[in-house]
DNA sequence: CGCGCGATTGAGTAATTTCAAATCTAGTGG
DNA sequence: CCACTAGATTTGAAATTACTCAATCGCGCG
């Protein structure tokens, strides 16, 4: 049984884009699973399956890519009300190339690829919801991409600090550095100013 | 009237993801406009409206961001069967922040944001189509992003050359450099090997 | 008290940029 | 067919930025 504060928060999340009656919500939720993860647990592991897409009720995760040199590149932090997965693997039903790791204890609703496709097919409204979500995810990534090409490291650091001040309280500086694509030494030298 | 080779190519493009009857195709096309652009014409100009999303029947375009220093950063090349726009502006119906410029004479089918939303609302199948397109666009961008964080310039150059050899015949090296996020001088020094 | 982890600092090195100049190339008019 | 020009490309040298590697610092916790 899913706690009512979770279903209520999820309903609110859906209602940012579509109208949802209580019975519809119940139907939608029947496609999802409720799960809890502890700090340091993995939602997804490289080489394993990326069976689920996760909506975070609470907690904090990082998804990252590990290069040949063994260096981690953080692609995304996800927190309350965000979605996360290894979408390349999820959509193509191939083994994951990313890890998704809990930085804090995390509570989620998650949906398998199969269920997601079924839900979209059976409920036009939800296809609409996920289309809109995909669009805004694309825009967010594009903004981040342009930011990384256009601004220097200091500017990117300042922008992140301005946009997500809370993040700096919740994760080690080394994670911020990895997210910005610089070494922690370089990041450290920026803090001066 | 849209030439039949264009509608046929578009039908084939749709059928990669959904089934489309001839009457459905006709209905779908009623939401699109057929247009031709000459080399150096702009599909979208910074500060103007990004009213349309463009599907390229033939030709080649670049979308780029111009930074404060006046430097162009090429975000995407689009060619046959690709879609292009300034999607941030398109989806939010705000003024464009990107330019989209024709590198060759270009023939398109284009759809306004309003028409796209109408079409999706009236035809579940097309909502599905655009959701799938958004998903694959996201994945492509994420791959490019990870590539830029993980590989050095030489590796990115080699990968691009391998993936899109035709592109190197069709655009000046300076454009490739801008796309890769390096100066043309640096790119030039890589060609040696 | 001392261990361990995150963060910082320093010095030398590698990659890329900037600015300037030289070279190459395709298209044009004579 | 050739000279000429504009644009594209390459080359050189100095300056900048970030990286690596190593050492040090600061602090919470057993």
């Amino acid at each position: 049984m899913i706690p009512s504060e979770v279903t209520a928060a999820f309903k609110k999340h859906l209602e940012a884009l579509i109208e949802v009656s209580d019975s519809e919500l119940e139907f939608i939720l029947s496609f999802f699973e409720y799960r809890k993860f502890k700090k340091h647990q993995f939602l997804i592991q490289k080489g394993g399956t990326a069976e689920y897409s996760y909506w975070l009720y609470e907690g904090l995760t990082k998804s990252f890519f590990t290069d040949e040199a063994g260096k981690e590149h953080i692609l995304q932090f996800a927190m309350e009300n965000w979605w996360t997965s290894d979408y390349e693997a999820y959509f193509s039903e191939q083994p994951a190339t990313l890890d998704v790791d809990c930085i804090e204890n995390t509570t989620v609703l998650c949906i398998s690829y199969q269920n997601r496709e079924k839900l979209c097919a059976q409920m036009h409204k939800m296809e609409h919801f996920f289309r809109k979500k995909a669009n805004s995810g694309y825009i967010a990534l594009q903004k981040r991409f342009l930011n990384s090409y256009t601004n220097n490291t200091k500017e990117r650091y300042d922008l992140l600090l301005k946009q997500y001040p809370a993040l700096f309280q919740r994760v080690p500086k080394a994670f911020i550095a990895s997210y910005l694509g610089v070494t922690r030494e370089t990041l450290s030298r920026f803090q001066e100013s």
Side-chain angles (χ1 to χ4, degrees), chain A residues 90-101:
Chain A
Y90 180 74
F91 291 136
S92 64
E93 300 183 277
Q94 296 290 311
T97 56
L98 304 178
D99 288 282
V100 182
D101 184 15

Side-chain angles (χ1 to χ4, degrees), chain A residues 91-166:
Chain A
F91 291 136
S92 64
E93 300 183 277
Q94 296 290 311
T97 56
L98 304 178
D99 288 282
V100 182
D101 184 15
C102 293
I103 298 174
E104 302 175 358
N105 292 341
T106 298
T107 305
V108 305
L109 292 177
C110 60
I111 186 167
S112 71
Y113 180 72
Q114 298 298 334
N115 267 357
R116 181 175 150 131
E117 292 304 306
K118 269 186 218 158
L119 177 56
C120 284
Q122 290 177 33
M123 200 171 172
H124 187 166
K125 229 182 240 189
M126 284 304 290
E127 183 116 48
H128 179 74
F129 176 82
F130 282 119
R131 176 171 70 88
K132 287 295 181 178
K133 275 288 158 198
N135 287 344
S136 46
Y138 182 85
I139 296 312
L141 187 57
Q142 179 173 304
K143 273 182 158 170
R144 182 155 174 236
F145 187 77
L146 277 177
N147 178 29
S148 80
Y149 265 56
T150 304
N151 299 117
N152 63 33
T153 307
K154 179 74 171 82
E155 289 165 334
R156 279 182 281 141
Y157 174 80
D158 289 340
L159 185 62
L160 186 66
L161 186 56
K162 197 174 128 204
Q163 285 190 311
Y164 301 105

